[in-house]
Amino acid sequence: MTIAAAELDSREEALARVAREAGELARELFSKPIEIKLKGKQDYITEADGQVERMIVERLKERFPGDAFLGEEGGASGNADALSDAVWVIDPIDDTANFAHRMPHFCVSIAFLSAGELALGAIAAPMYGELYRARAGRGAYLNNRAMRVADTDIKQAVIELGWSSRRPTRTYTSLVERVLATGATFLRAGSGALGLAYVADGRTHGYCELHINSWDTLAGLLMVREAGGWTNDFLAGQGLERGNAVLACAPGLKDALVAATGVGQANEKLERRIS
Ligand code: IPD
């Protein structure tokens, strides 16, 4: 069941406050010596991830005890019955590798889904003093400025291509080759959430990754849509629980990038159902 507008208003207000506060905590922890571990190949976890996530979940649970929560580190918690109605999806630090290596390109990303649809998103990039936010149907903002995607010729486009060890290396190198063949260039700055926020703000023109988790993407996907961009149907199948491929871009680049990346083709859902 979709939640009422007034209930969404209070969640929107709480989200901005909690995202800002979580960003501040992450910034404080960034300057301290911190324990770093590997969860998998090039997949980092620090003490800060757990601390920031616990803080976010505690604050939001206090205000909205009937909601469900899905966090990168803590998994599912809260009211399990609300999983299909009111769910917060939280990445305490994205990209943890940048954070662990003392690089400032990281953020806190929080999304809220109402009845399975993206309703709210916030991304705090504390080292840059940036708070990105979006509400479905009401636009996307960076601090207090409205964001807009930047359409450009594919030959002038900058496309971020995310990487993780969850997919074989050759699928990434082949993706890079196919995107370069369109005439666009590519970069990999590390944070999927910030990569999507940059598309929404017209700094880059597209973001693609062959597998990414929902906590890394949902807030940014709402921002791209609200800023006039196009995104694939990330939540199709079990996107929320298991992640999916993602493609988000300025609308004029959609055809070229769908063809080059293979993400977002009309038959994609069907293929996923069959496999
Ligand atoms: C990672 C980052 C990275 C993306 C990976 C994610 P984490 O998230 O978002 O940009 O390419 O797929 O796993 O582990 O740093 O939160």
Side-chain angles (χ1 to χ4, degrees), residues 3-13 112 114 119-120 135-136:
I3 66 165
E7 289 192 44
L8 204 53
D9 290 346
S10 57
R11 283 170 176 79
E12 184 179 16
E13 168 269 310
F112 177 74
S114 169
L120 301 171
R135 175 167 170 169

Side-chain angles (χ1 to χ4, degrees), residues 217-235:
T217 43
L218 292 183
L221 282 176
L222 181 61
M223 286 169 201
V224 173
R225 286 183 207 156
E226 288 298 314
W230 176 86
T231 76
N232 71 316
D233 182 9
F234 180 83
L235 286 168

Side-chain angles (χ1 to χ4, degrees), residues 57-110:
V57 173
E58 257 168 44
R59 296 274 192 285
L60 291 172
K61 261 188 196 164
E62 258 165 40
R63 278 287 300 275
F64 310 107
D67 290 359
F69 297 84
L70 180 63
E72 176 174 14
E73 310 306 338
S77 67
N79 179 5
D81 293 340
L83 254 180
S84 54
D85 283 344
V87 192
W88 297 91
V89 184
I90 300 153
D91 191 342
I93 296 182
D94 185 79
D95 172 60
T96 306
N98 282 349
F99 183 94
H101 293 124
R102 296 280 176 265
M103 291 191 267
H105 196 73
F106 66 86
C107 64
V108 174
S109 175
I110 310 173

Side-chain angles (χ1 to χ4, degrees), residues 39 43-44 72 91 93-97 162-164 166 188 190-193 207 209 211-213 216:
K39 299 191 267 191
D43 189 7
Y44 290 84
E72 176 174 14
D91 191 342
I93 296 182
D94 185 79
D95 172 60
T96 306
W163 173 88
S164 82
R166 294 184 297 274
R188 176 178 178 262
S191 163
Y207 185 92
E209 184 161 347
H211 177 272
I212 190 160
N213 289 306
D216 300 313

